[in-house]
């Protein structure tokens, strides 16, 4: 089932932003290969270009140079196969929870059955919130609504920008588990940006550390055991976190 | 407190204060509310009075409606497109501070003293307020929300429908509500200068005849027109922006 077919290829991507009269190199020489059913956690210091990289992979901003391929096909625009969850979730405040969850499906004209909707909501524990507006929800609920919204779309690739950053430790842990559960069942791929070394170790089959200046990926760490039961409390995970912390310090 | 109760309380208070003041300064300058309101009731039975009300209402309705229909889409498009905004906004900044009311003589020369000139003047004055509100609302939409929406597969037209319009509506209705007051003031001004009917003329005419009770009937009628408009946009806002009214 888990073929190692390549899903996403990021080839030599760079991004330069104009900065007054000068130019600011935010990304350079980024190469990523992501197989179907695989996950990558990207970490690095604030301002190193993580969000920029994610937006480029989502087809929302164009790279200064380099190429993107999805299933072997070059792309430069947004695609229904790629879904993105940004840090503040991007839920229009004027849409109820029900409308927000259905928004993407509506835009992409994907039929959604009531059963499917019900299942998803119970999986994510967001039942009974249909008539509320985003500002009436807790941060964790908002996050789960944002995730429900893209799971209805059945994307092949999920891009997550610090999705659990604003949550308390317990809620965060719960949502990490939930993400992994759905990931196991659905078989999509995801790339998660996080500045939390523990989260990176829990969610990424590979962990990439970005340079704070120069904008490249300085280190890639394999983390093959991340899906095993109770990984969070294993020595392996503990070691991974420690290793990652050292790499991050060195890249400063 | 239900809205109608607060309305009743407010109205009763206004009438009582009015009564007290009229007792103080004398009925000649400020007739007491009972005689004004009873004359208003009598007038409400006359076709002549309703012709004035109808003429004024139509001018306001058409002027504000036109301003709304033109300013909102124009403002939203300009606000959503930085390139267009760069071209259009200097013209707006330059013409906004010009007091449009001084253009009245020109408008009268061009369009005559009929309804058209009055409607155009009201529209011209309201247009800028509504345009600027719409433009700025569209311009200030959260960047992340725009990106999220695009990545969900939303096209340009859907972007206006699902994001820009709902994001801007509360501001637009607030500006229309404020504009209602301006529109009534402008209407009074043009109708008192050049009109063959309308509440402005009604007031000025009564004033000329030193018939102060009638004059106040006109003033009350014009105020009611303003209040109705204000309420109309308030209700519209409540109906279309439900999310703004939840705790
Ligand atoms: N549109 C833009 N124009 C100019 N500079 C930009 C733009 N977007 C991002 N940058 C710059 O690019 C750099 C990287 O930004 P980015 O948001 O990708 O960082 P990040 O790694 O996601 O940081 P954080 O962890 O704080 O979210 C920053 O220095 C930022 O100022
Ligand atoms: Mg970021």
């Amino acid at each position: 089932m888990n073929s190692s077919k390549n899903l996403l290829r990021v080839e030599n991507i760079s991004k330069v932003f104009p900065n007054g009269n000068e130019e600011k190199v935010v990304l350079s020489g980024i190469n990523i290969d992501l197989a179907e059913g695989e996950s990558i956690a990207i970490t690095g210091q604030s301002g190193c270009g993580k969000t920029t990289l994610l937006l480029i992979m989502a087809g929302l901003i164009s790279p200064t140079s380099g190429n993107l391929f999805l299933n072997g096909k070059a792309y430069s625009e947004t695609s229904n196969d790629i879904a993105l969850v940004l840090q503040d979730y991007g839920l229009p405040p004027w849409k109820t929870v029900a409308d927000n969850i259905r928004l993407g499906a509506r835009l992409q004209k994907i039929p959604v059955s009531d059963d499917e909707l019900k299942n998803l909501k119970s999986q994510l524990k967001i039942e009974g919130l249909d008539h509320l507006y985003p500002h009436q929800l807790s941060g964790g609920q908002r996050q789960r609504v944002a995730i429900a919204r893209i799971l209805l779309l059945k994307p092949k690739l999920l891009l997550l920008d610090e999705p659990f950053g604003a949550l308390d430790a317990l809620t965060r842990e719960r949502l990490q588990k939930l993400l992994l559960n759905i990931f196991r069942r659905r078989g999509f791929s995801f790339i998660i940006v996080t500045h939390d070394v523990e989260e990176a170790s829990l969610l990424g089959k590979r962990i990439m550390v970005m340079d704070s200046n120069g904008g490249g990926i300085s280190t890639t760490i394999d983390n093959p055991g991340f899906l095993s039961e109770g990984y969070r409390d294993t020595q392996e995970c503990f070691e991974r976190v420690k290793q990652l912390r050292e790499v991050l310090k060195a890249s400063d | 407190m239900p809205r109608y109760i607060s309305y009743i309380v407010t109205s009763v208070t206004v009438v009582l204060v009015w009564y007290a003041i009229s007792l103080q300064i004398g009925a000649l300058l400020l007739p007491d509310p009972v005689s004004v309101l009873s004359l208003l009731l009598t007038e409400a039975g006359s076709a002549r009075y309703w012709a004035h009300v109808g003429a004024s209402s139509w001018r306001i309705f058409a002027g504000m409606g036109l301003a709304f229909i033109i300013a909102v889409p124009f403002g939203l498009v300009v606000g959503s497109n930085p390139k267009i905004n760069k071209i259009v906004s200097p013209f707006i900044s330059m013409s906004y501070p010009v007091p449009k009311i001084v253009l009245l003589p020109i408008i009268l020369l061009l369009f005559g003293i009929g309804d058209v000139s009055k409607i155009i003047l009201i529209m011209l004055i309201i247009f800028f307020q509504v345009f600027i509100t719409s433009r700025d609302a569209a311009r200030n939409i959260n960047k992340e929300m725009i990106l999220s929406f695009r990545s969900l597969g939303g096209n340009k037209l859907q972007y206006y429908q699902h994001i820009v319009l709902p994001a801007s509506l509360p501001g637009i209705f607030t500006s229309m509500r404020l504009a209602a007051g301006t529109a009534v003031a402008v209407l009074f001004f043009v109708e008192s200068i050049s009109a063959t009917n309308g509440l402005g003329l009604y007031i000025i005419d009564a004033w000329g005849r030193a018939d102060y009770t009638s004059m106040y009937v006109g003033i009350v009628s014009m105020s009611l027109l303003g209040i109705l408009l204000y309420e109309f946009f308030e209700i519209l806002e409540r109906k279309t922006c439900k999310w703004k009214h939840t705790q």
Side-chain angles (χ1 to χ4, degrees):
Chain A
M1 213 194 97
N2 191 359
S3 65
S4 56
K5 193 168 162 254
N6 188 282
L7 178 67
L8 174 77
R9 163 160 288 169
V10 173
E11 203 176 75
N12 214 6
I13 288 286
S14 75
K15 181 69 186 177
V16 180
F17 281 117
N19 183 15
N21 290 329
E22 292 163 36
E23 291 190 325
K24 177 166 183 171
V25 179
V26 174
L27 301 172
S28 66
I30 304 266
N31 289 295
I32 299 175
D33 271 303
L34 177 72
E36 274 182 359
E38 200 193 11
S39 75
I40 293 177
I42 297 179
T43 187
Q45 289 187 7
S46 183
C48 70
K50 302 182 294 294
T51 300
T52 306
L53 177 58
L54 225 50
L55 295 179
I56 289 175
M57 293 190 286
L60 286 167
I61 59 178
S62 47
T64 307
S65 66
N67 299 302
L68 297 162
F69 301 91
L70 191 71
N71 280 323
K73 264 202 260 105
Y75 72 97
S76 56
E77 302 269 313
T78 57
S79 149
N80 289 354
D81 288 331
I82 304 178
L84 172 73
V85 179
L86 289 172
Q87 199 164 3
D88 80 350
Y89 320 142
L91 303 175
W94 42 86
K95 290 191 182 287
T96 60
V97 167
D99 288 342
N100 256 303
I101 293 177
R102 282 172 171 278
L103 179 60
R106 204 175 142 191
L107 295 173
Q108 298 185 17
K109 300 199 171 66
I110 295 175
V112 176
S113 73
D114 288 346
D115 268 358
E116 192 182 354
L117 210 54
K118 222 176 114 195
N119 280 339
L120 186 65
K121 282 188 231 167
S122 88
Q123 248 181 68
L124 290 164
K125 297 207 169 50
I126 44 173
E127 297 128 311
L129 303 176
D130 275 4
H131 300 291
L132 297 179
Y133 290 95
H135 71 267
Q136 298 172 300
L137 305 178
S138 72
Q141 288 170 331
R142 270 203 290 277
Q143 181 58 72
R144 280 170 285 164
V145 169
I147 291 179
R149 178 169 81 171
I150 54 168
L151 288 181
L152 273 188
L153 307 177
K154 311 196 178 53
K156 296 201 171 85
L157 172 62
L158 226 63
L159 302 172
L160 307 161
D161 192 4
E162 299 193 19
F164 312 132
L167 306 175
D168 67 273
L170 213 65
T171 312
R172 188 176 184 136
E173 192 176 323
R174 232 176 258 145
L175 286 181
Q176 288 165 346
K177 281 185 180 148
L178 184 82
L179 176 66
L180 285 182
N181 277 336
I182 301 174
F183 171 65
R184 278 199 198 93
R185 236 174 307 159
R186 292 262 189 119
F188 50 74
S189 310
F190 72 86
I191 296 179
I192 183 169
V193 161
T194 173
H195 53 229
D196 183 302
V197 286
E198 195 191 24
E199 185 163 271
S201 310
L202 291 171
L203 299 179
K205 187 174 176 210
R206 273 180 294 156
I207 304 162
M208 297 182 168
V209 181
M210 283 176 69
D211 255 341
S212 29
N213 41 25
I217 291 169
S218 60
T219 312
T220 300
I221 299 173
D222 281 323
N223 186 32
F226 82 112
L227 276 179
S228 55
E229 200 60 45
Y231 183 69
R232 191 182 296 266
D233 303 314
T234 61
Q235 185 65 25
E236 188 185 347
C237 178
F238 181 74
E239 289 295 331
R240 197 73 70 230
V241 170
K242 205 172 135 203
Q243 180 188 6
L244 205 47
R245 200 169 278 133
E246 272 155 19
V247 171
L248 267 172
K249 269 196 203 125
S251 80
D252 191 7
Chain B
M1 191 162 59
R3 285 168 65 70
Y4 72 93
I5 294 189
S6 85
Y7 248 94
I8 291 171
V9 172
T10 315
S11 309
V12 169
T13 312
V14 168
V15 169
L16 286 178
V17 171
W18 175 359
Y19 204 70
I21 297 176
S22 106
L23 284 180
Q24 279 297 313
I25 66 174
L28 189 66
L29 266 179
L30 181 60
D32 69 276
V34 176
S35 49
V36 171
L37 294 178
S38 62
L39 180 59
L40 180 63
L41 282 179
T42 318
E43 285 285 61
S46 88
R48 201 185 57 96
Y49 169 79
W50 285 110
H52 288 302
V53 173
S56 290
S57 305
W58 161 243
R59 289 160 191 160
I60 288 237
F61 176 80
M64 290 189 78
L66 273 178
F68 184 87
I69 290 172
I70 301 171
V72 170
F74 186 40
L76 295 183
V77 168
V78 170
S80 311
N81 296 280
K83 279 180 196 143
I84 302 180
N85 187 29
K86 233 181 179 157
I87 300 169
V88 172
S89 282
F91 290 98
I92 300 292
S93 321
M94 233 165 74
S95 42
Y96 177 60
V98 175
K100 260 66 67 184
I101 200 131
V102 303
L103 300 178
L104 180 61
I106 303 167
I107 293 173
L108 286 176
L109 284 175
L110 284 173
F111 299 100
I113 63 162
D115 281 353
V116 176
S117 57
K118 297 172 183 67
I119 291 170
I120 286 181
L121 190 67
I122 291 173
M123 186 203 75
L124 219 56
I125 291 174
I126 304 302
F127 171 85
F128 284 89
Q129 305 177 12
V130 181
F131 171 83
I132 289 172
T133 315
S134 312
R135 180 198 62 189
D136 292 350
R139 206 164 49 178
N140 292 326
I141 289 173
N142 180 301
K143 288 260 155 28
E144 295 215 347
M145 191 152 57
I146 301 176
L147 291 172
S148 289
F149 187 78
R150 278 180 51 205
S151 88
L152 284 178
N155 63 31
K156 198 83 195 173
L157 206 66
Q158 290 168 323
Y159 173 63
Y160 282 102
Q161 180 195 349
H162 291 278
I163 305 292
V164 181
L165 188 63
S168 320
L169 273 185
I172 291 171
F173 284 130
T174 302
S175 77
M176 287 304 279
R177 240 157 48 202
L178 298 178
T182 314
V184 174
V186 173
L187 183 72
F188 171 74
F189 181 71
V190 282
E191 284 185 345
S192 66
I193 284 185
S194 76
T196 51
N197 57 8
L199 287 168
L201 177 76
Y202 184 101
I203 293 169
I204 286 299
D205 180 58
W207 176 65
R209 289 182 285 108
D211 177 358
Y212 293 135
T213 312
S214 286
M215 183 178 87
Y216 277 97
V217 166
I219 293 174
V220 168
S221 305
M222 249 188 159
S223 308
L224 285 176
L225 189 57
I227 292 170
L228 277 176
L229 274 172
Y230 188 94
E231 275 303 302
F232 171 70
F233 289 112
E234 170 106 16
I235 291 168
L236 222 54
E237 202 256 354
R238 277 172 185 278
K239 287 262 178 276
T240 55
C241 309
K242 292 211 174 81
W243 59 286
K244 274 276 174 192
H245 302 281
T246 50
Q247 288 304 303

